[in-house]
Amino acid sequence: MSRLRLAILISGRGTNMERLLQAAADETYPARACLVLSNRANAAGLDTARAYGVEALAIPHKDFEDRERFEHAMDAALREHGIEILALAGFMRVLTPWFVRQWEGRMINIHPSLLPKYPGLDTHKRAIEAGDAEAGCSVHWVSESVDAGDVIAQARVPVKAGDTPEELADRVLVEEHVLYPHALAQACEQIQKKPSS
Ligand code: GAR
């Protein structure tokens, strides 16, 4: 089975991206990293990607008049690179239904909560304030509603007494780094099993 051509979308430091690049460096992994895209020119993850020998491009959303034009530029770059699967890794722009439809069934995201709990922002603060005993992270297919697509895999951590949102985020992030490469491999296998149209 040939490896799927992978692009990773980031907005910032890119620690999850780095774990995916490490996994995809193994020739037996079902995806090969071909492109990293950031909507911020100063995202630290761009340099990390280049250090792994992966092409990294900034397409700053601020350079475009509106969301649609920005997304058309991203879509064009992804198609030029023959991308077959898209992994969002700390990509902090909400995507329009148009973009989601272009990549439906080929786009996954990591979110720092046990979905369906806490879609959106401030997930760790919300878990602490709700008195949850457990928190965690989810990898899911991207659908038109934010953080609402089918879940591929989750990992759980305890919420400890007195946790700050930052402490909980650090504990969850350790699990994100383990979860995402496994979940991406599962997603690739699901795509490869689909009959080609
Ligand atoms: C991660 O915790 C990821 O789950 C979260 O942003 C962080 C990015 O860190 N994503 C979201 O909140 C998406 N809604 P990273 O840049 O070090 O991977």
mmCIF file with all atom_site columns, all heavy atoms in Angstrom, residues 164-176:
data_model
loop_
_atom_site.group_PDB
_atom_site.id
_atom_site.type_symbol
_atom_site.label_atom_id
_atom_site.label_alt_id
_atom_site.label_comp_id
_atom_site.label_asym_id
_atom_site.label_entity_id
_atom_site.label_seq_id
_atom_site.pdbx_PDB_ins_code
_atom_site.Cartn_x
_atom_site.Cartn_y
_atom_site.Cartn_z
_atom_site.occupancy
_atom_site.B_iso_or_equiv
_atom_site.pdbx_formal_charge
_atom_site.auth_seq_id
_atom_site.auth_comp_id
_atom_site.auth_asym_id
_atom_site.auth_atom_id
_atom_site.pdbx_PDB_model_num
ATOM 1   N N   . THR A 1 164 ? -3.840 23.939 37.911 1.00 0.00 ? 164 THR A N   1
ATOM 2   C CA  . THR A 1 164 ? -4.111 25.142 37.121 1.00 0.00 ? 164 THR A CA  1
ATOM 3   C C   . THR A 1 164 ? -4.368 24.686 35.678 1.00 0.00 ? 164 THR A C   1
ATOM 4   O O   . THR A 1 164 ? -3.966 23.574 35.292 1.00 0.00 ? 164 THR A O   1
ATOM 5   C CB  . THR A 1 164 ? -2.899 26.091 37.115 1.00 0.00 ? 164 THR A CB  1
ATOM 6   O OG1 . THR A 1 164 ? -1.807 25.412 36.473 1.00 0.00 ? 164 THR A OG1 1
ATOM 7   C CG2 . THR A 1 164 ? -2.492 26.510 38.521 1.00 0.00 ? 164 THR A CG2 1
ATOM 8   N N   . PRO A 1 165 ? -5.011 25.528 34.857 1.00 0.00 ? 165 PRO A N   1
ATOM 9   C CA  . PRO A 1 165 ? -5.205 25.146 33.452 1.00 0.00 ? 165 PRO A CA  1
ATOM 10  C C   . PRO A 1 165 ? -3.879 24.806 32.759 1.00 0.00 ? 165 PRO A C   1
ATOM 11  O O   . PRO A 1 165 ? -3.824 23.888 31.942 1.00 0.00 ? 165 PRO A O   1
ATOM 12  C CB  . PRO A 1 165 ? -5.855 26.394 32.840 1.00 0.00 ? 165 PRO A CB  1
ATOM 13  C CG  . PRO A 1 165 ? -6.582 27.029 33.980 1.00 0.00 ? 165 PRO A CG  1
ATOM 14  C CD  . PRO A 1 165 ? -5.715 26.790 35.184 1.00 0.00 ? 165 PRO A CD  1
ATOM 15  N N   . GLU A 1 166 ? -2.808 25.510 33.145 1.00 0.00 ? 166 GLU A N   1
ATOM 16  C CA  . GLU A 1 166 ? -1.508 25.258 32.501 1.00 0.00 ? 166 GLU A CA  1
ATOM 17  C C   . GLU A 1 166 ? -0.972 23.875 32.887 1.00 0.00 ? 166 GLU A C   1
ATOM 18  O O   . GLU A 1 166 ? -0.430 23.148 32.051 1.00 0.00 ? 166 GLU A O   1
ATOM 19  C CB  . GLU A 1 166 ? -0.488 26.335 32.896 1.00 0.00 ? 166 GLU A CB  1
ATOM 20  C CG  . GLU A 1 166 ? -0.803 27.722 32.354 1.00 0.00 ? 166 GLU A CG  1
ATOM 21  C CD  . GLU A 1 166 ? -2.003 28.415 33.036 1.00 0.00 ? 166 GLU A CD  1
ATOM 22  O OE1 . GLU A 1 166 ? -2.305 28.091 34.216 1.00 0.00 ? 166 GLU A OE1 1
ATOM 23  O OE2 . GLU A 1 166 ? -2.639 29.267 32.379 1.00 0.00 ? 166 GLU A OE2 1
ATOM 24  N N   . GLU A 1 167 ? -1.116 23.524 34.170 1.00 0.00 ? 167 GLU A N   1
ATOM 25  C CA  . GLU A 1 167 ? -0.634 22.199 34.613 1.00 0.00 ? 167 GLU A CA  1
ATOM 26  C C   . GLU A 1 167 ? -1.412 21.089 33.925 1.00 0.00 ? 167 GLU A C   1
ATOM 27  O O   . GLU A 1 167 ? -0.844 20.084 33.488 1.00 0.00 ? 167 GLU A O   1
ATOM 28  C CB  . GLU A 1 167 ? -0.765 22.071 36.138 1.00 0.00 ? 167 GLU A CB  1
ATOM 29  C CG  . GLU A 1 167 ? 0.281  22.877 36.884 1.00 0.00 ? 167 GLU A CG  1
ATOM 30  C CD  . GLU A 1 167 ? -0.041 23.075 38.363 1.00 0.00 ? 167 GLU A CD  1
ATOM 31  O OE1 . GLU A 1 167 ? -1.232 22.969 38.764 1.00 0.00 ? 167 GLU A OE1 1
ATOM 32  O OE2 . GLU A 1 167 ? 0.903  23.348 39.119 1.00 0.00 ? 167 GLU A OE2 1
ATOM 33  N N   . LEU A 1 168 ? -2.715 21.282 33.838 1.00 0.00 ? 168 LEU A N   1
ATOM 34  C CA  . LEU A 1 168 ? -3.533 20.266 33.175 1.00 0.00 ? 168 LEU A CA  1
ATOM 35  C C   . LEU A 1 168 ? -3.178 20.199 31.682 1.00 0.00 ? 168 LEU A C   1
ATOM 36  O O   . LEU A 1 168 ? -3.059 19.109 31.111 1.00 0.00 ? 168 LEU A O   1
ATOM 37  C CB  . LEU A 1 168 ? -5.021 20.577 33.380 1.00 0.00 ? 168 LEU A CB  1
ATOM 38  C CG  . LEU A 1 168 ? -5.999 19.589 32.754 1.00 0.00 ? 168 LEU A CG  1
ATOM 39  C CD1 . LEU A 1 168 ? -5.740 18.155 33.239 1.00 0.00 ? 168 LEU A CD1 1
ATOM 40  C CD2 . LEU A 1 168 ? -7.435 20.000 33.058 1.00 0.00 ? 168 LEU A CD2 1
ATOM 41  N N   . ALA A 1 169 ? -2.973 21.354 31.058 1.00 0.00 ? 169 ALA A N   1
ATOM 42  C CA  . ALA A 1 169 ? -2.615 21.377 29.620 1.00 0.00 ? 169 ALA A CA  1
ATOM 43  C C   . ALA A 1 169 ? -1.318 20.606 29.381 1.00 0.00 ? 169 ALA A C   1
ATOM 44  O O   . ALA A 1 169 ? -1.200 19.844 28.413 1.00 0.00 ? 169 ALA A O   1
ATOM 45  C CB  . ALA A 1 169 ? -2.472 22.820 29.138 1.00 0.00 ? 169 ALA A CB  1
ATOM 46  N N   . ASP A 1 170 ? -0.354 20.780 30.279 1.00 0.00 ? 170 ASP A N   1
ATOM 47  C CA  . ASP A 1 170 ? 0.931  20.068 30.121 1.00 0.00 ? 170 ASP A CA  1
ATOM 48  C C   . ASP A 1 170 ? 0.727  18.557 30.210 1.00 0.00 ? 170 ASP A C   1
ATOM 49  O O   . ASP A 1 170 ? 1.335  17.790 29.459 1.00 0.00 ? 170 ASP A O   1
ATOM 50  C CB  . ASP A 1 170 ? 1.929  20.497 31.211 1.00 0.00 ? 170 ASP A CB  1
ATOM 51  C CG  . ASP A 1 170 ? 2.447  21.905 30.980 1.00 0.00 ? 170 ASP A CG  1
ATOM 52  O OD1 . ASP A 1 170 ? 2.246  22.445 29.870 1.00 0.00 ? 170 ASP A OD1 1
ATOM 53  O OD2 . ASP A 1 170 ? 3.041  22.472 31.921 1.00 0.00 ? 170 ASP A OD2 1
ATOM 54  N N   . ARG A 1 171 ? -0.132 18.135 31.156 1.00 0.00 ? 171 ARG A N   1
ATOM 55  C CA  . ARG A 1 171 ? -0.386 16.691 31.326 1.00 0.00 ? 171 ARG A CA  1
ATOM 56  C C   . ARG A 1 171 ? -1.110 16.132 30.103 1.00 0.00 ? 171 ARG A C   1
ATOM 57  O O   . ARG A 1 171 ? -0.804 15.034 29.639 1.00 0.00 ? 171 ARG A O   1
ATOM 58  C CB  . ARG A 1 171 ? -1.207 16.469 32.612 1.00 0.00 ? 171 ARG A CB  1
ATOM 59  C CG  . ARG A 1 171 ? -1.233 15.024 33.082 1.00 0.00 ? 171 ARG A CG  1
ATOM 60  C CD  . ARG A 1 171 ? -1.940 14.859 34.435 1.00 0.00 ? 171 ARG A CD  1
ATOM 61  N NE  . ARG A 1 171 ? -1.435 15.789 35.417 1.00 0.00 ? 171 ARG A NE  1
ATOM 62  C CZ  . ARG A 1 171 ? -2.200 16.685 36.079 1.00 0.00 ? 171 ARG A CZ  1
ATOM 63  N NH1 . ARG A 1 171 ? -3.506 16.723 35.888 1.00 0.00 ? 171 ARG A NH1 1
ATOM 64  N NH2 . ARG A 1 171 ? -1.656 17.507 36.933 1.00 0.00 ? 171 ARG A NH2 1
ATOM 65  N N   . VAL A 1 172 ? -2.052 16.894 29.582 1.00 0.00 ? 172 VAL A N   1
ATOM 66  C CA  . VAL A 1 172 ? -2.789 16.438 28.392 1.00 0.00 ? 172 VAL A CA  1
ATOM 67  C C   . VAL A 1 172 ? -1.854 16.389 27.181 1.00 0.00 ? 172 VAL A C   1
ATOM 68  O O   . VAL A 1 172 ? -1.908 15.449 26.372 1.00 0.00 ? 172 VAL A O   1
ATOM 69  C CB  . VAL A 1 172 ? -4.004 17.353 28.112 1.00 0.00 ? 172 VAL A CB  1
ATOM 70  C CG1 . VAL A 1 172 ? -4.644 17.030 26.759 1.00 0.00 ? 172 VAL A CG1 1
ATOM 71  C CG2 . VAL A 1 172 ? -5.047 17.227 29.222 1.00 0.00 ? 172 VAL A CG2 1
ATOM 72  N N   . LEU A 1 173 ? -0.975 17.398 27.069 1.00 0.00 ? 173 LEU A N   1
ATOM 73  C CA  . LEU A 1 173 ? -0.094 17.477 25.886 1.00 0.00 ? 173 LEU A CA  1
ATOM 74  C C   . LEU A 1 173 ? 0.795  16.238 25.758 1.00 0.00 ? 173 LEU A C   1
ATOM 75  O O   . LEU A 1 173 ? 1.044  15.755 24.643 1.00 0.00 ? 173 LEU A O   1
ATOM 76  C CB  . LEU A 1 173 ? 0.757  18.755 25.946 1.00 0.00 ? 173 LEU A CB  1
ATOM 77  C CG  . LEU A 1 173 ? 1.543  19.073 24.675 1.00 0.00 ? 173 LEU A CG  1
ATOM 78  C CD1 . LEU A 1 173 ? 0.615  19.400 23.499 1.00 0.00 ? 173 LEU A CD1 1
ATOM 79  C CD2 . LEU A 1 173 ? 2.512  20.247 24.908 1.00 0.00 ? 173 LEU A CD2 1
ATOM 80  N N   . VAL A 1 174 ? 1.260  15.725 26.902 1.00 0.00 ? 174 VAL A N   1
ATOM 81  C CA  . VAL A 1 174 ? 2.084  14.501 26.872 1.00 0.00 ? 174 VAL A CA  1
ATOM 82  C C   . VAL A 1 174 ? 1.301  13.391 26.174 1.00 0.00 ? 174 VAL A C   1
ATOM 83  O O   . VAL A 1 174 ? 1.844  12.649 25.336 1.00 0.00 ? 174 VAL A O   1
ATOM 84  C CB  . VAL A 1 174 ? 2.461  14.076 28.323 1.00 0.00 ? 174 VAL A CB  1
ATOM 85  C CG1 . VAL A 1 174 ? 3.126  12.702 28.341 1.00 0.00 ? 174 VAL A CG1 1
ATOM 86  C CG2 . VAL A 1 174 ? 3.361  15.132 28.970 1.00 0.00 ? 174 VAL A CG2 1
ATOM 87  N N   . GLU A 1 175 ? 0.013  13.293 26.475 1.00 0.00 ? 175 GLU A N   1
ATOM 88  C CA  . GLU A 1 175 ? -0.828 12.249 25.856 1.00 0.00 ? 175 GLU A CA  1
ATOM 89  C C   . GLU A 1 175 ? -1.135 12.575 24.400 1.00 0.00 ? 175 GLU A C   1
ATOM 90  O O   . GLU A 1 175 ? -1.250 11.672 23.575 1.00 0.00 ? 175 GLU A O   1
ATOM 91  C CB  . GLU A 1 175 ? -2.133 12.083 26.642 1.00 0.00 ? 175 GLU A CB  1
ATOM 92  C CG  . GLU A 1 175 ? -1.924 11.604 28.058 1.00 0.00 ? 175 GLU A CG  1
ATOM 93  C CD  . GLU A 1 175 ? -1.139 10.303 28.127 1.00 0.00 ? 175 GLU A CD  1
ATOM 94  O OE1 . GLU A 1 175 ? -1.344 9.418  27.282 1.00 0.00 ? 175 GLU A OE1 1
ATOM 95  O OE2 . GLU A 1 175 ? -0.279 10.198 29.026 1.00 0.00 ? 175 GLU A OE2 1
ATOM 96  N N   . GLU A 1 176 ? -1.279 13.863 24.074 1.00 0.00 ? 176 GLU A N   1
ATOM 97  C CA  . GLU A 1 176 ? -1.514 14.232 22.665 1.00 0.00 ? 176 GLU A CA  1
ATOM 98  C C   . GLU A 1 176 ? -0.382 13.704 21.789 1.00 0.00 ? 176 GLU A C   1
ATOM 99  O O   . GLU A 1 176 ? -0.598 13.188 20.690 1.00 0.00 ? 176 GLU A O   1
ATOM 100 C CB  . GLU A 1 176 ? -1.596 15.763 22.516 1.00 0.00 ? 176 GLU A CB  1
ATOM 101 C CG  . GLU A 1 176 ? -2.811 16.389 23.153 1.00 0.00 ? 176 GLU A CG  1
ATOM 102 C CD  . GLU A 1 176 ? -2.901 17.893 22.874 1.00 0.00 ? 176 GLU A CD  1
ATOM 103 O OE1 . GLU A 1 176 ? -2.671 18.316 21.734 1.00 0.00 ? 176 GLU A OE1 1
ATOM 104 O OE2 . GLU A 1 176 ? -3.230 18.640 23.817 1.00 0.00 ? 176 GLU A OE2 1
#
